[in-house]
Amino acid sequence: MMAGITPKGKQKEVMALTDKGHVIVLGAAGSGKTTIALLRAQHLANLPGNDKVLLVTFNRALVQYIRGINNNQSPKLFVENYHKFARDYLDSKGKMPENGILNSYRKKVYIESALEFYKKHYPAESTLKRPKEFFVDEITFIEKFGFANFTAYYDAERIGRAAANIRRENRIWVFEVYKKYIELRKADGIEYDWDDLALYVYRELQSDTTARIYTHIIIDEGQDFSPMMIKSLVSALREGGSFTFFGDVAQQIYGNRLSWRDSGINANKVWRFDVNYRNPATITAFANDIIQSEYWQQNNDMVAATNQIAEGPKPILVKFNDRVHEINWVVEQSIAIGRVSSVVILCRNRAYIKYFMKELKNKGCNAIEINKYTPGYAYVKTVYLTTFHSVKGLEFDNVFIPLLSNDIFPDTDAIANAVIKEEAYSNEIKLLYVAVTRSKGNLYMSYHGTLSSLFPETSQNYDKEYLE
């Protein structure tokens, strides 16, 4: 077991789950999914034999967190993020050239070149007059679901993509641009982008006749994985082993909008964890008000939380006249509280983290930024900083969420560049949900100017303050 951490209540049932076949565990925020995922991984790694166990996450910061709390250093247990697993596998097959993965910015450039090629040859075709952002978004959809040919794309149900409307007969143009994009990319020696890496891993595994090295694979925060990521991991499993999926659709912030049922998992039963062991009931009540927003996209797999922790202060929302006073207050309060307990300041973008870090250092606070390089954390009495995205799976005694002003949150670039506006707003409000459910005690929120349109202002489950 991990130091000081033991399963509670229904969590204990996971330890008794079968070590063969596929297992689905859906849990509410605060139900201990990451803890139980690690405990299950440790349990499987300690079974007799020399079988290897892989615990895989989407988030690299979460990998570091899990490694930090894992005091059972079994040589059979490997903790990685998905893209590290994918790169290592392709490299083992001699199929990972140096600089072989296209970043998101350059991907857009190549797709635009492919689009311009077809515009030049078919200037009257209306589908090709759509914005390049539409083609980037649609091609990413093709990659994440792994459509091998046009027929598969033509027949595909558009999970969560009704707003990106395109007639079936016009999809041929998108697929032609997609094929041209692949052609242009590979002509320059670039084999993959970050969105189709899983597709190539899956394809390689289908023709790979060598013995699989993992007898047990556990996915944590599985709601953030694309269908092809999950399918490739299922294919990487040794015959007779176990595949365990831990997820929470309420925290689905990477826009995949899929059910685990679309991803090659074959489970007869779904285990649901609805007890929140992290947040006080006051914070859970406020988080549930966020879920009621018009921007929230509902899902039948979502698990509503009930509380184990009854007492706790209400979340607080503080209004300021300007950003300077707001930031100064957050810095001073977090330093004071950080002397006696763990504190995290959560920002929508890393640019604001740098701003807060500078102010904290000016006041003599050696704050720690959480990123993919940060070793074990969250149990030390100090001040941490990270983004809404990177805080997935983590918890702290106190959480500050500043800059909830409407010109900062939702992120203006994310909304402006989105093809499906409804999905963009849904992603943003789920980020807020993730942020507020990180606190084990106190939740402090703040803004200046106009409050974010995504904030549940009519909620009765928070207190308001005004400071000049």
Side-chain angles (χ1 to χ4, degrees):
M1 296 296 180
M2 292 172 286
I5 300 177
T6 56
K8 305 173 184 177
K10 195 174 180 180
Q11 292 178 342
K12 297 176 183 178
E13 297 177 18
V14 173
M15 307 309 296
L17 292 176
T18 178
D19 61 353
K20 299 185 185 301
H22 295 182
V23 177
I24 302 293
V25 182
L26 301 179
S31 60
K33 294 182 299 298
T34 295
T35 298
I36 301 305
L38 178 53
L39 288 175
R40 176 161 171 78
Q42 290 176 345
H43 167 70
L44 293 170
N46 288 326
L47 292 176
N50 295 310
D51 301 329
K52 292 184 178 180
V53 178
L54 175 66
L55 174 54
V56 60
T57 76
F58 187 94
N59 188 329
R60 286 178 292 184
L62 185 55
V63 169
Q64 295 299 329
Y65 174 77
I66 292 173
R67 288 174 177 171
I69 64 176
N70 178 22
N71 70 335
N72 183 342
Q73 302 297 330
S74 169
K76 296 189 296 182
L77 176 55
F78 299 84
V79 182
E80 301 287 358
N81 82 302
Y82 177 81
H83 288 113
K84 176 69 162 55
F85 155 80
R87 293 197 312 272
D88 286 352
Y89 173 71
L90 290 172
D91 188 51
S92 73
K93 299 300 175 182
K95 295 188 176 182
M96 180 49 67
E98 187 176 354
N99 300 320
I101 304 178
L102 199 64
N103 65 36
S104 58
Y105 172 77
R106 294 185 64 210
K107 175 181 177 178
K108 293 176 183 177
V109 173
Y110 275 87
I111 290 176
E112 188 171 18
S113 296
L115 179 59
E116 290 302 319
F117 172 87
Y118 277 98
K119 280 184 176 180
K120 180 179 179 180
H121 287 81
Y122 302 94
E125 175 51 48
S126 60
T127 304
L128 298 173
K129 296 177 182 179
R130 288 199 171 197
K132 67 176 180 180
E133 289 78 13
F134 169 81
F135 284 88
V136 172
D137 192 67
E138 197 69 11
I139 286 171
T140 300
F141 169 66
I142 291 171
E143 293 175 326
K144 287 184 175 181
F145 279 78
F147 301 129
N149 50 52
F150 173 66
T151 300
Y153 175 50
Y154 180 89
D155 292 338
E157 294 298 325
R158 300 176 63 76
I159 301 172
R161 298 188 59 77
N165 185 40
I166 180 171
R167 294 178 179 177
R168 288 186 186 270
E169 60 268 26
N170 290 336
R171 294 187 194 182
I172 184 63
W173 296 105
V174 175
F175 206 79
E176 288 300 315
V177 172
Y178 166 59
K179 290 194 299 182
K180 189 66 178 180
Y181 156 66
I182 299 296
E183 176 189 323
L184 293 174
R185 185 182 82 187
K186 292 194 173 186
D188 287 343
I190 305 171
E191 291 296 320
Y192 320 110
D193 65 42
W194 289 111
D195 296 308
D196 69 5
L197 189 63
L199 171 61
Y200 289 94
V201 172
Y202 177 76
R203 288 176 177 173
E204 184 66 23
L205 283 163
Q206 298 312 294
S207 60
D208 185 354
T209 59
T210 61
R212 303 295 190 251
I213 66 172
Y214 296 114
T215 302
H216 307 285
I217 296 178
I218 299 100
I219 294 180
D220 188 30
E221 302 292 356
Q223 71 278 351
D224 295 335
F225 286 60
S226 74
M228 285 313 308
M229 288 179 180
I230 298 173
K231 285 182 178 180
S232 66
L233 287 166
V234 170
S235 298
L237 183 68
R238 182 179 296 180
E239 187 176 353
S242 70
F243 185 91
T244 312
F245 175 100
F246 287 85
D248 174 12
V249 297
Q251 298 186 60
Q252 191 173 42
I253 58 175
Y254 291 97
N256 295 326
R257 300 293 173 265
L258 75 150
S259 164
W260 56 267
R261 299 174 183 84
D262 305 301
S263 305
I265 302 176
N266 183 21
N268 295 323
K269 181 177 179 178
V270 177
W271 295 78
R272 296 179 183 270
F273 283 54
D274 60 355
V275 178
N276 186 331
Y277 296 100
R278 177 195 302 142
N279 309 130
T282 46
I283 292 178
T284 298
F286 178 71
N288 287 338
D289 289 335
I290 294 175
I291 291 173
Q292 302 308 313
S293 168
E294 63 180 297
Y295 300 105
W296 192 277
Q297 294 184 354
Q298 300 296 332
N299 187 303
N300 292 333
D301 279 332
M302 195 174 76
V303 178
T306 60
N307 271 84
Q308 179 76 12
I309 305 172
E311 300 299 325
K314 275 188 176 184
I316 298 172
L317 176 68
V318 185
K319 180 180 180 179
F320 293 87
N321 284 335
D322 55 59
R323 186 170 69 175
V324 172
H325 285 90
E326 179 183 359
I327 289 177
N328 286 341
W329 180 82
V330 171
V331 168
E332 291 172 1
Q333 293 295 315
S334 62
I335 290 175
I337 297 172
R339 295 190 181 104
V340 295
S341 58
S342 65
V343 176
V344 68
I345 301 172
L346 299 178
C347 299
R348 176 61 181 85
N349 299 309
R350 291 206 175 270
Y352 292 110
I353 289 178
K354 294 179 181 178
Y355 196 97
F356 275 104
M357 182 66 80
K358 178 182 177 182
E359 296 302 314
L360 287 161
K361 289 189 178 298
N362 285 343
K363 293 186 178 293
C365 177
N366 292 318
I368 300 172
E369 180 181 353
I370 295 173
N371 54 38
K372 62 183 179 180
Y373 304 112
T374 312
Y377 43 76
Y379 294 111
V380 180
K381 296 175 182 178
T382 190
V383 179
Y384 297 91
L385 302 96
T386 194
T387 63
F388 291 1
H389 282 92
S390 292
V391 80
K392 290 288 287 288
L394 310 185
E395 58 184 33
F396 302 84
D397 296 322
N398 305 274
V399 172
F400 284 83
I401 309 176
L403 305 175
L404 289 175
S405 306
N406 204 47
D407 59 344
I408 299 174
F409 181 77
D411 182 74
T412 52
D413 288 340
I415 301 301
N417 295 330
V419 174
I420 309 174
K421 301 298 182 184
E422 294 88 345
E423 184 170 299
Y425 280 110
S426 177
N427 287 342
E428 293 291 305
I429 200 167
K430 287 193 174 185
L431 284 170
L432 180 60
Y433 177 89
V434 169
V436 304
T437 54
R438 299 307 98 196
S439 176
K440 297 191 292 182
N442 296 290
L443 173 60
Y444 307 94
M445 302 169 288
S446 62
Y447 74 104
H448 60 274
T450 303
L451 182 62
S452 170
S453 60
L454 299 187
F455 190 91
E457 190 171 5
T458 59
S459 169
Q460 301 300 307
N461 293 304
Y462 72 99
D463 291 329
K464 301 177 184 179
E465 291 187 17
Y466 175 72
L467 296 176
E468 294 185 4

